[in-house]
Amino acid sequence: MGERYRIAVENSEEQFHCSADTTLLVGMERAQNQALSVGCRGGGCGVCRIRVLRGEYERKRMSRAHVSEQEEQNGVALACRIMPRSDLLICADPSEHAKTSANQSDNNNA
Amino acid sequence: MRKGVMRPGHVQIRVLDVQEALAHYRDLLGLIEVETDSEGRVYLKGWTEVDKFSVVLREADAPGMDFMGFKVLDTTTLASLESALKENGIEVEEIPAGELNGCGRRLRFVAPSGHSFELYAEKEQTGKWGLSKVNPEAWPRDLKGMKATRFDHCLLYGTNIQQTYELFRDVLGFDLAEQVVDPEGNKAAVFLTASMKAHDVAFIDCPEPGKFHHASFFLETWEDVLRAADLITMTETSIDIGPTRHGLTHGKTIYFFDPSGNRNEVFCGGDYHYPDHEPVTWTVDQLGKAIFYHDRVLNERFLSVLT
């Protein structure tokens, strides 16, 4: 297991620890934390999109339908595709596509 | 009325890393690796399928489905379906023979749901993998992982479900096997078949066109589905839900994701459909039970997590 880092969520009490060899999303699930929505865990659906406000991380390829090249440069990422290299401060930033579908599911559940 | 569409023949899936995807579809699902073409696309098939390939993986920067193809009876049928599509105002793109290795001329069109479909009549037949054509044994002994037998169907999320249903029914000759209807009688989901299966392709209404929900692969038994679940855990593969049973189709199922976030299903059992059967109807207020028969509650992920 790699080094463990503290992941804090902006404007909330939420925080969890994630090791360097684990993606943020899986680290969050293992810590029994529910700060972010869990989707495909593979960089495809955009549900776990976040903005990293502070800290270093390594990233794997993620869907361009949800994170543009410029957004990626500006700290937007899918939590299921990045691994921490320092303590991080993040905030949730769900993809527009994912939001549309989630609203649809609310309607269907009503 | 049937118009000569036989079966789902192939699906081309976009993946973020083709080698990771190959390991998933070959070693976990147990599909047979056929070959890699000059563009780097990887071809696979289930071991019981007689045609050369049924799954094509293409590396791209956004996952999802490029297209789903249906095999039709023969070239005469293909020509008549081409005319019928055009008469109904559908734009048809011709893909020349050989663009996919071993596949004949394909006709590609976009359904009102926003998905690309193809029809073709000819594909190289290499036979069932690992079995002789005469006096075949029960199964080949060196299968991997879940030992998926065949590519079975896709579930797609998109717009204009009623128009898409009418295109598949009137032009392509599919039957409505099962449906979900809202109180006004609008269709929220249609399960369409060109065969005796409960679905060869299914659509669920969604505000965004052209979304991919899952590609599904057939297993023989419930024991096989449980064993698939064990393998998902052993390989730390991303799980969605299951093992469980659907109300719709009554299939026994488990859902999981490939390494690029495309959803897969393996399932067994389920209803059958003859052309004189009334469609099986579920109502939107029972959608939870329709989708997950045991939990009777829909998890949001089933509706919102798409590629």
Side-chain angles (χ1 to χ4, degrees), chain B residues 155 175-180 189-193 198-204 248-249 291:
Chain B
L155 171 59
D175 288 330
L176 180 65
E178 310 218 354
Q179 62 180 342
V180 178
V190 292
F191 285 58
L192 306 174
T193 183
H199 47 357
D200 284 317
V201 63
F203 295 93
I204 289 185
L248 281 152
T249 78
I291 305 282

Side-chain angles (χ1 to χ4, degrees), chain A residues 40-42 60-61 64 97, chain B residues 16 20 61 208 238-239 260:
Chain A
C40 70
R41 303 184 191 86
K60 289 180 77 179
R61 196 172 187 184
R64 278 279 170 262
H97 302 283
Chain B
L16 295 170
E20 271 185 18
D61 67 6
E208 206 179 334
S238 177
I239 178 90
S260 306

Side-chain angles (χ1 to χ4, degrees), chain A residues 30 38-45 47 60-65 81 97 100-102 104-106 108-109, chain B residues 16 20 59-63 205 207-208 236 238-239 257 259-261 287 298 300-301 303-307:
Chain A
R30 286 186 185 158
V38 178
C40 70
R41 303 184 191 86
C45 75
V47 163
K60 289 180 77 179
R61 196 172 187 184
M62 54 192 96
S63 175
R64 278 279 170 262
R81 300 298 273 183
H97 302 283
T100 314
S101 306
Q104 169 72 2
S105 79
D106 290 345
N108 285 344
N109 286 336
Chain B
L16 295 170
E20 271 185 18
E59 192 165 297
D61 67 6
D205 182 44
E208 206 179 334
E236 295 195 6
S238 177
I239 178 90
F257 296 96
S260 306
L287 192 61
L298 204 49
E300 179 177 313
R301 198 148 59 195
L303 291 172
S304 62
V305 172
L306 307 166
T307 55

Side-chain angles (χ1 to χ4, degrees), chain A residues 13-33:
Chain A
E13 304 282 294
E14 300 278 5
Q15 58 166 313
F16 57 92
H17 285 83
C18 180
S19 68
D21 58 4
T22 306
T23 65
L24 240 53
L25 194 71
V26 170
M28 182 200 79
E29 288 188 285
R30 286 186 185 158
Q32 314 276 328
N33 184 287

Side-chain angles (χ1 to χ4, degrees), chain B residues 263-281:
Chain B
R263 192 186 276 95
N264 298 151
E265 176 188 43
V266 290
F267 81 107
C268 71
D271 298 334
Y272 62 87
H273 180 90
Y274 279 106
D276 65 336
H277 286 193
E278 285 289 314
V280 173
T281 298

Side-chain angles (χ1 to χ4, degrees), chain B residues 71-139:
Chain B
K71 194 176 193 189
V72 308
L73 275 173
D74 51 30
T75 53
T76 311
T77 305
L78 190 64
S80 72
L81 288 168
E82 181 174 13
S83 308
L85 281 167
K86 288 176 176 168
E87 280 163 23
N88 280 270
I90 305 288
E91 202 173 311
V92 178
E93 182 190 358
E94 173 154 349
I95 314 291
E99 195 277 337
L100 281 169
N101 285 353
C103 190
R105 181 174 86 103
R106 290 135 65 203
L107 304 176
R108 188 180 297 171
F109 61 94
V110 179
S113 62
H115 301 93
S116 291
F117 291 99
E118 298 184 344
L119 304 175
Y120 65 94
E122 295 171 318
K123 190 183 279 181
E124 190 184 330
Q125 289 208 322
T126 49
K128 294 183 184 184
W129 183 83
L131 297 184
S132 76
K133 280 185 180 156
V134 180
N135 306 325
E137 301 297 352
W139 34 265

